[in-house]
Short mmCIF file of all heavy atoms in Angstrom, two decimals:
data_model
loop_
_atom_site.label_atom_id
_atom_site.label_comp_id
_atom_site.label_asym_id
_atom_site.label_seq_id
_atom_site.Cartn_x
_atom_site.Cartn_y
_atom_site.Cartn_z
N VAL A 60 169.68 135.49 -22.82
CA VAL A 60 170.91 134.75 -22.97
C VAL A 60 171.72 135.41 -24.08
O VAL A 60 171.17 136.00 -25.02
CB VAL A 60 170.61 133.26 -23.28
CG1 VAL A 60 170.01 133.10 -24.66
CG2 VAL A 60 171.86 132.42 -23.10
N GLY A 61 173.02 135.34 -23.95
CA GLY A 61 173.88 136.07 -24.87
C GLY A 61 173.65 135.78 -26.33
O GLY A 61 173.76 136.67 -27.19
N SER A 62 173.30 134.55 -26.66
CA SER A 62 173.15 134.16 -28.05
C SER A 62 171.95 134.81 -28.75
O SER A 62 171.88 134.78 -29.98
CB SER A 62 173.05 132.64 -28.17
OG SER A 62 171.93 132.15 -27.44
N VAL A 63 171.02 135.38 -27.99
CA VAL A 63 169.84 135.98 -28.61
C VAL A 63 169.77 137.49 -28.40
O VAL A 63 168.85 138.13 -28.92
CB VAL A 63 168.54 135.33 -28.10
CG1 VAL A 63 168.60 133.82 -28.23
CG2 VAL A 63 168.24 135.74 -26.66
N LYS A 64 170.70 138.06 -27.69
CA LYS A 64 170.69 139.50 -27.46
C LYS A 64 170.74 140.25 -28.78
O LYS A 64 171.53 139.93 -29.66
CB LYS A 64 171.86 139.91 -26.57
CG LYS A 64 171.70 139.51 -25.12
CD LYS A 64 172.87 140.01 -24.27
CE LYS A 64 172.68 139.64 -22.81
NZ LYS A 64 173.82 140.10 -21.98
N GLY A 65 169.89 141.25 -28.88
CA GLY A 65 169.80 142.02 -30.10
C GLY A 65 168.90 141.42 -31.15
O GLY A 65 168.58 142.09 -32.14
N ARG A 66 168.48 140.17 -30.96
CA ARG A 66 167.61 139.51 -31.92
C ARG A 66 166.23 139.20 -31.35
O ARG A 66 165.24 139.24 -32.07
CB ARG A 66 168.25 138.21 -32.41
CG ARG A 66 169.59 138.39 -33.11
CD ARG A 66 170.05 137.10 -33.77
NE ARG A 66 170.27 136.03 -32.80
CZ ARG A 66 169.59 134.88 -32.78
NH1 ARG A 66 168.65 134.64 -33.68
NH2 ARG A 66 169.87 133.96 -31.87
N PHE A 67 166.17 138.86 -30.07
CA PHE A 67 164.92 138.50 -29.42
C PHE A 67 164.50 139.61 -28.47
O PHE A 67 165.35 140.33 -27.91
CB PHE A 67 165.07 137.21 -28.61
CG PHE A 67 165.23 135.96 -29.42
CD1 PHE A 67 165.49 135.99 -30.78
CD2 PHE A 67 165.13 134.72 -28.80
CE1 PHE A 67 165.65 134.83 -31.52
CE2 PHE A 67 165.28 133.55 -29.53
CZ PHE A 67 165.54 133.60 -30.88
N ALA A 68 163.21 139.74 -28.27
CA ALA A 68 162.68 140.71 -27.33
C ALA A 68 161.48 140.12 -26.62
O ALA A 68 160.55 139.62 -27.26
CB ALA A 68 162.29 142.00 -28.04
N ILE A 69 161.50 140.16 -25.30
CA ILE A 69 160.39 139.68 -24.51
C ILE A 69 159.56 140.87 -24.06
O ILE A 69 160.09 141.93 -23.74
CB ILE A 69 160.88 138.85 -23.30
CG1 ILE A 69 159.70 138.18 -22.58
CG2 ILE A 69 161.70 139.69 -22.35
CD1 ILE A 69 160.12 137.17 -21.52
N SER A 70 158.26 140.70 -24.06
CA SER A 70 157.37 141.76 -23.64
C SER A 70 156.10 141.14 -23.08
O SER A 70 155.84 139.95 -23.25
CB SER A 70 157.03 142.71 -24.79
OG SER A 70 156.38 142.03 -25.84
N LYS A 71 155.31 141.95 -22.41
CA LYS A 71 154.08 141.49 -21.81
C LYS A 71 152.97 142.49 -22.07
O LYS A 71 153.19 143.70 -22.01
CB LYS A 71 154.25 141.27 -20.30
CG LYS A 71 153.00 140.77 -19.61
CD LYS A 71 153.23 140.60 -18.12
CE LYS A 71 151.96 140.13 -17.42
NZ LYS A 71 150.87 141.13 -17.54
N ASP A 72 151.80 141.99 -22.34
CA ASP A 72 150.61 142.81 -22.55
C ASP A 72 149.46 142.11 -21.87
O ASP A 72 149.00 141.06 -22.33
CB ASP A 72 150.34 143.01 -24.04
CG ASP A 72 149.12 143.86 -24.29
OD1 ASP A 72 148.68 144.57 -23.37
OD2 ASP A 72 148.60 143.83 -25.43
N ASN A 73 149.02 142.68 -20.75
CA ASN A 73 147.93 142.10 -19.97
C ASN A 73 148.30 140.68 -19.54
O ASN A 73 149.26 140.49 -18.80
CB ASN A 73 146.63 142.14 -20.77
CG ASN A 73 145.41 141.94 -19.89
OD1 ASN A 73 145.46 142.13 -18.67
ND2 ASN A 73 144.31 141.55 -20.50
N ALA A 74 147.57 139.69 -20.01
CA ALA A 74 147.80 138.32 -19.59
C ALA A 74 148.56 137.50 -20.63
O ALA A 74 148.47 136.27 -20.63
CB ALA A 74 146.47 137.64 -19.26
N THR A 75 149.26 138.17 -21.51
CA THR A 75 150.02 137.50 -22.56
C THR A 75 151.46 137.98 -22.55
O THR A 75 151.71 139.18 -22.47
CB THR A 75 149.40 137.75 -23.94
OG1 THR A 75 148.03 137.35 -23.93
CG2 THR A 75 150.14 136.97 -25.01
N VAL A 76 152.37 137.05 -22.63
CA VAL A 76 153.77 137.38 -22.77
C VAL A 76 154.21 136.97 -24.17
O VAL A 76 153.77 135.94 -24.70
CB VAL A 76 154.63 136.71 -21.68
CG1 VAL A 76 154.58 135.19 -21.80
CG2 VAL A 76 156.07 137.20 -21.75
N TYR A 77 155.05 137.78 -24.77
CA TYR A 77 155.49 137.57 -26.14
C TYR A 77 156.99 137.37 -26.20
O TYR A 77 157.74 137.87 -25.37
CB TYR A 77 155.11 138.75 -27.03
CG TYR A 77 153.65 139.09 -27.04
CD1 TYR A 77 153.13 140.06 -26.19
CD2 TYR A 77 152.78 138.44 -27.90
CE1 TYR A 77 151.79 140.38 -26.21
CE2 TYR A 77 151.43 138.74 -27.92
CZ TYR A 77 150.94 139.71 -27.08
OH TYR A 77 149.60 140.02 -27.10
N LEU A 78 157.41 136.68 -27.22
CA LEU A 78 158.82 136.60 -27.56
C LEU A 78 158.94 136.90 -29.04
O LEU A 78 158.58 136.06 -29.88
CB LEU A 78 159.42 135.24 -27.23
CG LEU A 78 160.92 135.12 -27.46
CD1 LEU A 78 161.68 136.01 -26.46
CD2 LEU A 78 161.39 133.68 -27.34
N GLN A 79 159.39 138.09 -29.36
CA GLN A 79 159.64 138.47 -30.74
C GLN A 79 161.03 137.98 -31.12
O GLN A 79 162.01 138.35 -30.48
CB GLN A 79 159.54 139.98 -30.92
CG GLN A 79 159.83 140.47 -32.33
CD GLN A 79 158.79 140.03 -33.32
OE1 GLN A 79 157.59 140.14 -33.07
NE2 GLN A 79 159.23 139.50 -34.46
N MET A 80 161.10 137.18 -32.15
CA MET A 80 162.35 136.58 -32.58
C MET A 80 162.66 137.04 -33.99
O MET A 80 161.92 136.75 -34.93
CB MET A 80 162.28 135.05 -32.51
CG MET A 80 161.87 134.51 -31.15
SD MET A 80 161.93 132.70 -31.05
CE MET A 80 160.64 132.28 -32.23
N ASN A 81 163.74 137.76 -34.13
CA ASN A 81 164.18 138.27 -35.42
C ASN A 81 165.52 137.66 -35.78
O ASN A 81 166.24 137.15 -34.93
CB ASN A 81 164.28 139.80 -35.39
CG ASN A 81 162.98 140.48 -35.08
OD1 ASN A 81 161.92 140.05 -35.53
ND2 ASN A 81 163.04 141.57 -34.32
N SER A 82 165.85 137.76 -37.06
CA SER A 82 167.12 137.25 -37.55
C SER A 82 167.38 135.83 -37.08
O SER A 82 168.45 135.49 -36.57
CB SER A 82 168.27 138.18 -37.11
OG SER A 82 168.07 139.49 -37.59
N LEU A 83 166.38 135.00 -37.24
CA LEU A 83 166.47 133.64 -36.74
C LEU A 83 167.56 132.84 -37.45
O LEU A 83 167.80 133.02 -38.64
CB LEU A 83 165.12 132.94 -36.88
CG LEU A 83 164.08 133.36 -35.84
CD1 LEU A 83 162.69 132.99 -36.29
CD2 LEU A 83 164.41 132.72 -34.49
N GLU A 84 168.17 132.00 -36.68
CA GLU A 84 169.26 131.16 -37.16
C GLU A 84 168.89 129.69 -36.96
O GLU A 84 168.07 129.37 -36.11
CB GLU A 84 170.54 131.48 -36.39
CG GLU A 84 170.95 132.94 -36.45
CD GLU A 84 172.03 133.29 -35.45
OE1 GLU A 84 172.38 132.43 -34.61
OE2 GLU A 84 172.55 134.43 -35.52
N PRO A 85 169.49 128.80 -37.74
CA PRO A 85 169.20 127.38 -37.53
C PRO A 85 169.43 126.92 -36.10
O PRO A 85 168.73 126.02 -35.62
CB PRO A 85 170.16 126.69 -38.51
CG PRO A 85 170.34 127.68 -39.60
CD PRO A 85 170.34 129.03 -38.92
N GLU A 86 170.38 127.54 -35.42
CA GLU A 86 170.66 127.19 -34.04
C GLU A 86 169.52 127.54 -33.09
O GLU A 86 169.51 127.09 -31.94
CB GLU A 86 171.96 127.87 -33.58
CG GLU A 86 173.22 127.37 -34.27
CD GLU A 86 173.37 127.89 -35.69
OE1 GLU A 86 172.70 128.88 -36.04
OE2 GLU A 86 174.16 127.31 -36.45
N ASP A 87 168.58 128.35 -33.55
CA ASP A 87 167.43 128.69 -32.74
C ASP A 87 166.35 127.62 -32.78
O ASP A 87 165.35 127.71 -32.05
CB ASP A 87 166.82 130.02 -33.20
CG ASP A 87 167.78 131.19 -33.02
OD1 ASP A 87 168.43 131.27 -31.96
OD2 ASP A 87 167.86 132.02 -33.95
N THR A 88 166.51 126.63 -33.62
CA THR A 88 165.53 125.56 -33.72
C THR A 88 165.40 124.84 -32.39
O THR A 88 166.38 124.35 -31.83
CB THR A 88 165.93 124.57 -34.82
OG1 THR A 88 165.90 125.23 -36.09
CG2 THR A 88 164.97 123.38 -34.86
N ALA A 89 164.19 124.78 -31.88
CA ALA A 89 163.95 124.17 -30.58
C ALA A 89 162.46 124.21 -30.28
O ALA A 89 161.69 124.89 -30.97
CB ALA A 89 164.71 124.91 -29.47
N VAL A 90 162.08 123.49 -29.26
CA VAL A 90 160.76 123.66 -28.67
C VAL A 90 160.87 124.78 -27.65
O VAL A 90 161.72 124.73 -26.75
CB VAL A 90 160.25 122.37 -28.02
CG1 VAL A 90 158.90 122.60 -27.34
CG2 VAL A 90 160.12 121.26 -29.06
N TYR A 91 160.03 125.77 -27.79
CA TYR A 91 160.06 126.92 -26.90
C TYR A 91 158.94 126.79 -25.88
O TYR A 91 157.78 126.54 -26.23
CB TYR A 91 159.91 128.22 -27.70
CG TYR A 91 161.18 128.61 -28.40
CD1 TYR A 91 161.61 127.91 -29.52
CD2 TYR A 91 161.96 129.67 -27.94
CE1 TYR A 91 162.79 128.24 -30.16
CE2 TYR A 91 163.14 130.01 -28.58
CZ TYR A 91 163.55 129.29 -29.68
OH TYR A 91 164.73 129.63 -30.32
N TYR A 92 159.31 126.97 -24.62
CA TYR A 92 158.39 126.81 -23.51
C TYR A 92 158.19 128.13 -22.77
O TYR A 92 159.15 128.84 -22.49
CB TYR A 92 158.91 125.78 -22.51
CG TYR A 92 159.07 124.39 -23.06
CD1 TYR A 92 160.26 123.98 -23.63
CD2 TYR A 92 158.02 123.48 -22.99
CE1 TYR A 92 160.42 122.69 -24.12
CE2 TYR A 92 158.17 122.19 -23.49
CZ TYR A 92 159.36 121.80 -24.05
OH TYR A 92 159.51 120.53 -24.53
N CYS A 93 156.97 128.41 -22.45
CA CYS A 93 156.65 129.52 -21.58
C CYS A 93 156.69 129.05 -20.14
O CYS A 93 156.20 127.97 -19.82
CB CYS A 93 155.26 130.06 -21.93
SG CYS A 93 154.73 131.48 -20.94
N ASN A 94 157.28 129.85 -19.30
CA ASN A 94 157.39 129.54 -17.88
C ASN A 94 156.96 130.76 -17.09
O ASN A 94 157.33 131.88 -17.41
CB ASN A 94 158.83 129.16 -17.54
CG ASN A 94 159.08 129.10 -16.05
OD1 ASN A 94 159.51 130.10 -15.44
ND2 ASN A 94 158.84 127.95 -15.45
N ALA A 95 156.18 130.53 -16.06
CA ALA A 95 155.68 131.63 -15.26
C ALA A 95 155.81 131.32 -13.78
O ALA A 95 155.53 130.20 -13.34
CB ALA A 95 154.22 131.94 -15.59
N ILE A 96 156.23 132.30 -13.05
CA ILE A 96 156.15 132.27 -11.60
C ILE A 96 155.09 133.30 -11.23
O ILE A 96 155.30 134.50 -11.42
CB ILE A 96 157.50 132.59 -10.94
CG1 ILE A 96 158.54 131.55 -11.35
CG2 ILE A 96 157.34 132.63 -9.42
CD1 ILE A 96 159.94 131.86 -10.86
#
Side-chain angles (χ1 to χ4, degrees):
V60 69
S62 60
V63 308
K64 287 183 178 179
R66 300 190 297 118
F67 290 12
I69 188 171
S70 61
K71 181 181 178 297
D72 180 18
N73 197 19
T75 304
V76 63
Y77 303 95
L78 185 67
Q79 178 67 47
M80 305 185 295
N81 300 322
S82 301
L83 284 162
E84 304 168 353
E86 293 76 17
D87 297 316
T88 296
V90 176
Y91 284 73
Y92 298 90
C93 181
N94 168 268
I96 299 174

